[in-house]
Amino acid sequence: MNIIEQRVLRGPNRWSRLTCLQTVIDTGDSCAIDPGFADALLAQLPGLAGRRSFTTPAHAAEQAAVELQGVAGTPVSFSLTGQVDDTRWRIVVAYQREQVGVEAMALALDMVRAAARGEAPDWTERLDALRDVAERGAMGTSTAAVVRAAQARGIPTVRLTDEANLFQLGWGSRQKRLQATVTGATSTIAVGIASNKQLTKTLLDQGGIPVPKGGVAASADEAVALAARLRFPVTVKPLDGNQGKGVTTECGDADSVRVAFDFARQYGRRVIVERFIAGRDYRLLVTGGKLAAASLRRPPAISGDGAATVQELVDLENRNPARGEGHANILTRLRLDELALALLAEQGYTPDSVVPAGVEVQLRGNANLSTGGTAEDVTDLVHPSTREMCIRAARIIGLDVAGIDVICGDISLCLREQRGALIEVNAAPGIRMHEYPSRGLARNAGEAIVQAMFGEGDGRIPVIAVTGTNGKTTTSLMIAHAARLAGLCTGVTTTEGVFIDGHRIIEGDCAGYHSARTLLTTPTVDLAVLETARGGILKRGLAFDRCAVAVVLNVSADHLGLDGVDSVAELASVKAVVANAASRAVVLNADDRLCVAMSAQVPTDVERIFFSMEPENPVLLRHLDNGGRAAYYQDNALILADGSRRAGLLHAGRMPSSMQGHARYNIANALAAAAALMGADFTHAQIALALSTFVSDRDNNPLRSNIYSAQGVTIVVDYAHNPAAYAAMASMAQSLSGGRRIALLTCPGDRREADLLDIGQTCAEGFDELFVYEADPRGRASGETAQTILDGARRAGKEEHLLHAIVPVSDAFTAAMACCRPGDVLVFACGSAATALRETARYVDPVQAAPALAASVHQATVPLE
């Protein structure tokens, strides 16, 4: 059983809106399993008991991969398995963390192989390694609380690195960054102040906030002298420590101060000595200028039962599933380290001592959760003056999120009256004590931080996603052009590159996941237009959980037989992934039945906006009768309709991209763009201005109906590479000129033979003479692709003397031009890459090759009245 292909789908995909791992395996000659197989697998993974029966090894691997992720601590529920052919199976399993999903699938397949052979190896080491992978990538509880709160608000979350808890919340210009509870708005200066406990106290004291008196000591002798001046007892701690590390409280004599000083020096070069404040230890969380939560922190302790030793009681408490290492769990494991042993000795115990029943033994002098302490919520008890004092303290230090440590007898009483004090202000405060208190009401501290960061916003910039078989790039650029004219910093991804505010930052085919993610993580982008190709959806899924507006232009035969998509209906299901991601509006082609069918899948709260080249289209008319919005073409004009209202937008001939109305496919693209912009709340005037000034030439939209004139011949250069695109080019050529129509065409060699034959037949019916070249054989023998296309033309009855197979593109272009006469139209289809155009550029006289119809670009273009 071998892995043939594996894809990590990082966003909504063909199978689910969840992140998934798609694995294609080959099971060999037999898909059957032995009667004892299930028992053998259950012996390795007892958790599979109760799941559905294992009908094939592939189904067994699917269920094992789900179970293993649960064992690792990252449970998932979605999975499916389907047969690809006689021996190959496709397994799709959701994942929480990518690496865990990949490792779980690898282990699942190994377990299935072993069970099939009747073997029972020890998987302990592999299982431990899988858990380690999950733990290494786990978010800290505080980070997880904020991220979870953001997700609950619908704010997009992007983990920027797997190694650190660094997240982007939101997209583009509305994004914020978060690491633990430090936000992008947290001042570096404020963090520096908070890290210096003495400086913090000085500023708070100047602000009229009660703080314990104290100073900084560079040696043990200085610490003892300072403690004597302050009058014992004192607290000794590192000047710039955190999480309670190196802190010793209530040092009552010189010897204990010396010991505490040496302990503190392990965590910082300088040590602070301050007057010990008697009372309880409270932590108050301030964010957004408000008190979000308050907790009474209790030092870690154990209670005796009269039979167990201290060590046994600690071990028993550490078996509590709520306790873990560091900050990964709600509570932290108890430790019998040097400090704990010293504190035990002060109480008259050792690890082997039996603690009498009911007696509580302290293991730490401080109550930090990071050292094993517990917390009780007291938010509703905080005295109003203390509340305001803590809010003011956060402002004095300059922190947007602050953990204020307060010592006093009773938090419900006035702090000054009971001689309490603020002892620390913490940047990046942990919030698990507030989210998961041992006692009292849990507080949504993560939501409080998110509210302070975003207010009532969701951190989203408008995202318009465009998909379809043909016209995606042109439509995307039209939409982006409108957004730029409206003053928005616009990002757009196309098969030509990634562009921000009109500048290309990445060159290449950029209609997939990574390019879209580039735009969404760029902090200057106000609006993103994402060309979303079939391949990108199948390889990685969508880069976004949802978009404001989705556009599906059309669905026709293209790339069939690749990536597990064998029919136009299956291709439509891939395109529908984009339609189903729309949150505000979905734009659909009323002239395409597969697009119309997608309307039924879209959630009812998402607006449908149809576009059509046929004003009498029954789908369009029915939609308008029901009060829906649409864009359609009538009497050579683009019309926007809103229920009973009809508004003329502009004449098609005033759009440079329409080639004075000859390029009907670009009129359709303009209708789709207009509908999308209408769905994104652009005004009619903004839409008309954009369409009337958008130029589709080699600089603005290369390989998309770029027009040149040479030797009296009109040359149309286009990316056409499938039957529908070639049919559209033939129709345009016929409208453009009364002369002959010559096609210089190609197609990538990885297309199915049936598709190549269809291209040949389509071109034979639409053009007078065909010249077929090859630029991208993709596994076929030289000349094979061209001959197959011409076989399709022969089936259409095209005479042999009008069919030419010339493999090198340069020779083909020369021959085609030699065949042309003044007044003819030569459609040069660069269906594989722009390199074909560059190779032939020298054959076009640069003086005479000025873009045709240039005058139409500069015509005055105004909306219809």
Side-chain angles (χ1 to χ4, degrees):
M1 202 164 44
N2 300 314
I3 294 179
I4 304 301
E5 177 188 89
Q6 192 167 72
R7 292 180 174 178
V8 179
L9 305 176
R10 297 183 174 127
N13 53 78
R14 185 182 177 188
W15 316 111
S16 171
R17 294 196 58 78
L18 302 171
T19 53
C20 294
L21 179 70
Q22 175 183 297
T23 306
V24 177
I25 63 170
D26 192 328
T27 58
D29 296 333
S30 175
C31 296
I33 54 178
D34 296 331
F37 171 82
D39 291 337
L41 187 58
L42 285 171
Q44 300 175 75
L45 274 179
L48 288 176
R51 295 184 185 269
R52 68 173 185 253
S53 59
F54 310 128
T55 55
T56 68
H59 288 94
E62 169 202 339
Q63 294 300 311
V66 171
E67 174 64 20
L68 285 167
Q69 290 188 74
V71 169
T74 57
V76 296
S77 57
F78 174 79
S79 64
L80 59 84
T81 294
Q83 192 163 8
V84 177
D85 55 31
D86 290 342
T87 64
R88 292 185 301 160
W89 296 75
R90 181 187 299 108
I91 305 170
V92 180
V93 179
Y95 67 83
Q96 286 191 43
R97 290 206 60 247
E98 183 176 311
Q99 191 59 35
V100 176
V102 172
E103 297 290 343
M105 178 56 70
L107 180 53
L109 290 171
D110 286 345
M111 286 184 163
V112 169
R113 292 187 190 100
R117 293 192 295 264
E119 300 171 355
D122 184 358
W123 300 105
T124 303
E125 187 174 337
R126 293 278 299 274
L127 289 169
D128 288 343
L130 184 64
R131 293 188 185 95
D132 287 343
V133 170
E135 289 176 6
R136 284 198 306 271
M139 286 186 281
T141 51
S142 294
T143 307
V146 182
V147 170
R148 187 170 56 250
Q151 292 170 338
R153 288 263 301 266
I155 298 170
T157 60
V158 180
R159 192 169 192 173
L160 298 177
T161 67
D162 287 334
E163 295 76 22
N165 286 323
L166 178 61
F167 280 81
Q168 174 184 309
L169 308 184
W171 286 333
S173 60
R174 297 181 185 174
Q175 68 176 273
K176 311 286 185 181
R177 287 187 177 171
L178 174 85
Q179 187 164 31
T181 56
V182 175
T183 77
T186 302
S187 163
T188 302
I189 292 176
V191 172
I193 293 171
S195 299
N196 186 318
K197 300 185 188 330
Q198 186 59 33
L199 178 56
T200 297
K201 288 201 306 176
T202 299
L203 294 179
L204 294 180
D205 185 44
Q206 291 175 357
I209 294 176
V211 294
K213 295 185 180 299
V216 177
S219 66
D221 289 340
E222 286 185 15
V224 171
L226 185 55
R229 288 199 300 273
L230 293 171
R231 299 181 181 178
F232 296 100
V234 294
T235 295
V236 180
K237 56 189 177 183
L239 178 67
D240 53 358
N242 56 43
Q243 299 180 358
K245 295 174 183 175
V247 177
T248 306
T249 60
E250 207 168 357
C251 299
D253 54 39
D255 290 340
S256 61
V257 169
R258 292 182 184 277
V259 171
F261 179 88
D262 291 339
F263 178 60
R265 280 292 296 271
Q266 297 177 27
Y267 298 93
R269 290 189 304 167
R270 295 192 295 171
V271 174
I272 187 171
V273 179
E274 63 186 25
R275 178 174 293 170
F276 173 72
I277 305 295
R280 294 178 163 187
D281 186 339
Y282 295 93
R283 164 64 65 84
L284 287 78
L285 176 68
V286 174
T287 180
K290 298 178 181 178
L291 178 68
S295 295
L296 167 62
R297 299 190 294 183
R298 303 179 187 278
I302 52 173
S303 294
D305 61 3
T309 65
V310 169
Q311 184 67 63
E312 290 169 340
L313 291 171
V314 168
D315 292 342
L316 178 64
E317 176 59 25
N318 281 338
R319 285 198 287 272
N320 180 350
R323 290 193 182 271
E325 295 296 335
H327 296 268
N329 283 43
I330 298 170
L331 298 173
T332 300
R333 292 183 187 277
L334 303 178
R335 290 171 291 178
L336 285 181
D337 55 14
E338 181 181 350
L339 189 61
L341 294 176
L343 188 57
L344 281 175
E346 291 180 15
Q347 299 169 83
Y349 296 105
T350 70
D352 297 324
S353 301
V354 174
V355 182
V359 174
E360 186 173 86
V361 177
Q362 299 292 318
L363 299 178
R364 270 292 189 280
N366 64 69
N368 294 69
L369 263 67
S370 58
T371 59
T374 59
E376 174 184 347
D377 178 70
V378 294
T379 306
D380 295 334
L381 302 179
V382 178
H383 191 275
S385 65
T386 304
R387 178 188 302 264
E388 292 306 313
M389 191 178 295
C390 289
I391 294 171
R392 192 154 54 87
R395 289 187 180 134
I396 290 171
I397 303 305
L399 290 171
D400 60 325
V401 180
I404 314 293
D405 291 341
V406 174
I407 300 292
C408 64
D410 188 342
I411 199 68
S412 66
L413 302 178
C414 175
L415 192 65
R416 291 187 185 279
E417 293 179 359
Q418 57 183 316
R419 297 193 176 185
L422 270 68
I423 60 169
E424 286 186 19
V425 177
N426 299 274
I431 59 174
R432 58 176 171 161
M433 71 182 76
H434 308 302
E435 294 269 343
Y436 308 103
S438 301
R439 300 179 190 173
L441 183 67
R443 304 288 173 170
N444 196 340
E447 164 59 23
I449 293 174
V450 170
Q451 177 66 27
M453 294 173 73
F454 290 95
E456 298 304 318
D458 62 6
R460 294 177 182 267
I461 60 172
V463 172
I464 301 176
V466 181
T467 194
T469 301
N470 295 310
K472 297 184 295 295
T473 296
T474 299
T475 304
S476 297
L477 292 175
M478 287 176 171
I479 296 169
H481 181 62
R484 286 189 63 208
L485 290 179
L488 299 173
C489 179
T490 304
V492 57
T493 62
T494 73
T495 51
E496 297 301 318
V498 177
F499 301 81
I500 295 178
D501 212 21
H503 303 287
R504 180 156 57 185
I505 64 167
I506 301 175
E507 184 176 359
D509 188 345
C510 297
Y513 177 92
H514 294 289
S515 303
R517 187 52 62 94
T518 295
L519 283 189
L520 296 177
T521 55
T522 299
T524 57
V525 173
D526 299 320
L527 182 146
V529 185
L530 307 176
E531 179 180 340
T532 308
R534 168 209 64 91
I537 299 171
L538 292 171
K539 288 179 173 63
R540 285 289 178 263
L542 300 181
F544 46 89
D545 58 339
R546 64 177 191 261
C547 54
V549 180
V551 181
V552 186
L553 297 170
N554 43 60
V555 183
S556 61
D558 195 14
H559 298 89
L560 299 182
L562 302 175
D563 302 310
V565 177
D566 299 315
S567 68
V568 177
E570 290 178 337
L571 181 60
S573 72
V574 176
K575 306 291 186 183
V577 173
V578 177
N580 294 332
S583 62
R584 181 188 299 179
V586 59
V587 174
L588 298 170
N589 187 347
D591 302 329
D592 188 310
R593 63 177 182 82
L594 292 172
C595 288
V596 173
M598 293 179 194
S599 177
Q601 307 173 28
V602 177
T604 56
D605 60 343
V606 175
E607 180 187 12
R608 282 86 166 153
I609 304 177
F610 283 100
F611 71 95
S612 174
M613 290 292 288
E614 303 296 333
E616 300 302 319
N617 180 300
V619 173
L620 175 75
L621 295 177
R622 187 164 52 249
H623 181 66
L624 292 174
D625 287 343
N626 291 328
R629 295 197 289 176
Y632 61 92
Y633 184 55
Q634 185 175 35
D635 298 330
N636 298 319
L638 282 71
I639 310 295
L640 295 185
D642 184 356
S644 61
R645 294 178 297 172
R646 307 289 189 270
L649 190 65
L650 77 167
H651 289 289
R654 295 190 181 278
M655 295 191 306
S657 62
S658 77
M659 298 184 228
Q660 296 180 340
H662 298 295
R664 286 177 60 86
Y665 51 87
N666 270 349
I667 298 173
N669 292 335
L671 288 171
L677 291 164
M678 184 166 59
D681 294 334
F682 283 73
T683 66
H684 288 195
Q686 288 173 319
I687 299 170
L689 176 63
L691 296 180
S692 66
T693 56
F694 174 76
V695 179
S696 183
D697 60 16
R698 63 184 177 186
D699 295 322
N700 297 289
N701 193 15
L703 299 183
R704 271 72 183 180
S705 297
N706 305 153
I707 299 191
Y708 303 86
S709 178
Q711 302 169 20
V713 178
T714 299
I715 305 170
V716 182
V717 181
D718 197 87
Y719 190 63
H721 59 283
N722 56 59
Y726 279 117
M729 296 305 299
S731 176
M732 178 273 302
Q734 183 176 18
S735 175
L736 189 63
S737 172
R740 293 187 309 151
R741 291 162 291 156
I742 313 298
L744 176 59
L745 69 142
T746 189
C747 187
D750 59 357
R751 301 305 195 265
R752 301 179 308 176
E753 183 172 349
D755 299 324
L756 298 177
L757 293 171
D758 284 346
I759 287 173
Q761 181 173 344
T762 299
C763 290
E765 294 169 349
F767 293 94
D768 297 303
E769 193 161 354
L770 308 183
F771 292 82
V772 185
Y773 69 95
E774 290 183 356
D776 197 354
R778 298 190 185 181
R780 290 183 183 267
S782 178
E784 181 183 352
T785 300
Q787 286 301 329
T788 305
I789 291 174
L790 292 181
D791 285 343
R794 294 183 183 100
R795 290 185 182 183
K798 202 68 162 178
E799 297 90 339
E800 194 66 35
H801 71 281
L802 299 175
L803 304 177
H804 314 278
I806 305 175
V807 171
V809 62
S810 57
D811 293 349
F813 186 85
T814 301
M817 283 296 295
C819 171
C820 291
R821 298 189 293 267
D824 288 348
V825 175
L826 172 62
V827 172
F828 178 18
C830 303
S832 56
T835 54
L837 176 59
R838 289 193 288 268
E839 290 173 8
T840 59
R842 59 193 175 95
Y843 291 91
V844 179
D845 185 339
V847 176
Q848 300 182 42
L853 306 178
S856 68
V857 175
H858 304 292
Q859 290 177 1
T861 51
V862 295
L864 291 173
E865 295 298 331

